[in-house]
Amino acid sequence: MTNLRELAESDLADTLEDPNQWGLPVVLIGPDGEIQGTEEVPLYGQVLYNRIEENPATGGEIIVKKPVAVLRISSLDPVPAPGENWAFRIPITPDLEADLVTWFAERPEEDGASIGFIRLYGKKIKQEEEE
Amino acid sequence: MARGMDPMRFEGVRDALEALLNTYKSTDFRVIGEQTQAQGAEEVEDDLRSVEVYYSEGDFPKAAGSMPGPLTHEMTFKVDLTASAAAEGDVATLEAPGSTSGERAIALAGIKRARRQADRSLDVLWRHVCQILQAADSVNLEVDTDTWRLSSRWLGNYRKDEPISYGELVVITGSATFTCKIEEDTTGVIPVETASTEYDLNLEVTHDEEGVMDEEGLAGVANVPPA
């Protein structure tokens, strides 16, 4: 018999991963350089391009440009852990065919582990100049 | 008669400080001559980092002046620095379809975090501000000593704040104070002479003996009786 928590986790296949619903392609690059989300085995997740943060100067809420990739934990192996260096690539616009852009991943303290997903927050990376 | 006031010397010092920073900056940053509201992270990214210089405090020590003047003006200018940066790394390798997992692992391990980049960017900015404002050859802020003579010029109290994650970037701020003394005159409110405009209100109408206006006279003012 399936309990509600398991049911919610299985729903992630629709709510997060289904490219016909909210899913967008995501490529994860782990600290060992291994890639999850290839052409053979694609990885999908829900991607948001902005989020609400607190303005440290005023304490008020502001909307900032900071992409968030929400991924189903059961689709990941290995799962990004705090303190590790990960990068992820997501479409530049919410379009399945759009070019992918690379972001440095921050694993936040808040996550949805009790339901079965993680959030990776993107930090902009610039190409370093040749010295 | 209109009244006005001469500018005080601190206003000139403020403008000279801004001009000095703009003249000698040999790296990229923006000089802002007033106190702005909080700036967005993207507005101060990399070469857009900013230096705000503005008059912040002034005092006239009683022992160093007299009521009719001149007065010694002890001035404090705030010098606020703001910078933001993104992480930097070998993005080309991370994105190259032909890169190996080993190459990607090295590229990921070599990413310089945004906090570090922002911190370094602010250090470079402070170095330039420090060198320009403390330089011995600009002791009078490059203003003729007949105009004023600055004394006790000093840049100090620099403090760097905590870097703050702001969306996709990291922002860091710092501030210092620039203090100096100058002699101010007290001219009070002074009358200002304004040039007056004079209007010729005499109406000259020429006419013949019967009082009919000449052709060269004013149209519509016919039959004006002779004076």
Side-chain angles (χ1 to χ4, degrees):
Chain A
M1 184 177 167
T2 305
N3 69 22
L4 286 177
R5 198 181 297 276
E6 289 168 342
L7 199 59
E9 200 285 334
S10 67
D11 281 348
L12 297 178
D14 294 324
T15 56
L16 293 185
E17 297 187 308
D18 186 351
N20 295 314
Q21 296 190 41
W22 292 99
L24 283 173
V26 177
V27 176
L28 264 183
I29 307 170
D32 54 2
E34 293 297 333
I35 288 178
Q36 299 180 55
T38 57
E39 281 187 20
E40 297 77 32
V41 187
L43 177 69
Y44 291 96
Q46 196 185 94
V47 177
L48 300 174
Y49 291 84
N50 302 89
R51 74 180 299 249
I52 296 172
E53 284 190 351
E54 183 183 291
N55 183 344
T58 64
E61 287 185 338
I62 47 170
I63 296 173
V64 295
K65 193 159 69 176
K66 186 174 193 177
V68 189
V70 188
L71 302 170
R72 189 181 181 188
I73 291 174
S74 60
S75 298
L76 303 175
D77 182 25
V79 179
E84 293 179 343
N85 283 351
W86 285 76
F88 63 92
R89 306 187 67 207
I90 53 172
I92 193 165
T93 55
D95 179 347
L96 290 168
E97 305 298 325
D99 291 339
L100 302 182
V101 179
T102 306
W103 298 83
F104 189 59
E106 261 186 356
R107 173 88 189 274
E109 290 177 7
E110 28 152 342
D111 63 16
S114 23
I115 294 177
F117 62 83
I118 58 165
R119 292 188 182 96
L120 297 176
Y121 290 86
K123 277 286 182 194
K124 184 175 172 182
I125 324 177
K126 288 168 50 180
Q127 176 64 43
E128 64 188 353
E129 293 173 9
E130 297 284 333
E131 294 187 2
Chain B
M1 183 174 288
R3 294 178 182 277
M5 284 184 197
D6 286 334
M8 287 176 74
R9 288 193 175 121
F10 80 89
E11 296 166 276
V13 174
R14 174 200 63 205
D15 296 342
L17 269 172
E18 185 184 352
L20 194 71
L21 285 164
N22 266 319
T23 303
Y24 288 100
K25 60 179 186 179
S26 57
T27 188
D28 289 320
F29 60 86
R30 293 177 302 133
V31 181
I32 302 169
E34 71 269 353
Q35 188 173 11
T36 64
Q37 290 186 318
Q39 299 180 82
E42 287 181 337
E43 292 176 297
V44 291
E45 188 180 357
D46 298 335
D47 294 344
L48 294 174
R49 55 196 161 186
S50 72
V51 179
E52 290 173 30
V53 186
Y54 54 92
Y55 176 69
S56 161
E57 263 183 77
D59 194 19
F60 300 98
K62 200 171 180 183
S66 61
M67 190 64 194
L71 303 168
T72 298
H73 190 169
E74 293 182 354
M75 297 172 285
T76 302
F77 292 86
K78 282 288 291 292
V79 182
D80 291 344
L81 316 180
T82 312
S84 75
E88 272 189 37
D90 188 357
V91 182
T93 298
L94 289 175
E95 295 183 344
S99 62
T100 64
S101 57
E103 289 168 340
R104 288 191 295 269
I106 291 169
L108 261 180
I111 286 178
K112 294 170 187 145
R113 304 253 176 167
R115 293 172 77 90
R116 177 188 186 279
Q117 298 303 99
D119 186 85
R120 294 289 190 276
S121 179
L122 197 76
D123 286 351
V124 170
L125 186 55
W126 173 235
R127 182 214 309 160
H128 282 261
V129 169
C130 214
Q131 290 294 336
I132 293 169
L133 295 187
Q134 286 289 55
D137 56 0
S138 61
V139 71
N140 210 44
L141 304 181
E142 302 214 322
V143 173
D144 196 303
T145 48
D146 291 338
T147 307
W148 69 54
R149 282 178 192 274
L150 281 186
S151 61
S152 302
R153 205 194 68 162
W154 199 250
L155 179 69
N157 290 326
Y158 179 64
R159 196 192 67 201
K160 187 191 283 182
D161 302 313
E162 286 279 317
I164 295 170
S165 181
Y166 231 143
E168 57 183 4
L169 301 171
V170 168
V171 179
I172 189 165
T173 56
S175 66
T177 54
F178 179 88
T179 52
C180 59
K181 292 180 188 174
I182 205 164
E183 195 173 88
E184 298 272 18
D185 294 323
T186 48
T187 56
V189 179
I190 52 175
V192 178
E193 293 289 343
T194 52
S196 59
T197 307
E198 292 182 4
Y199 297 93
D200 184 358
L201 299 176
N202 293 322
L203 183 65
E204 291 186 12
V205 180
T206 54
H207 50 82
D208 58 21
E209 291 177 352
E210 294 177 353
V212 178
M213 189 178 67
D214 294 345
E215 285 185 0
E216 295 175 356
L218 288 175
V221 199
N223 300 320
V224 178

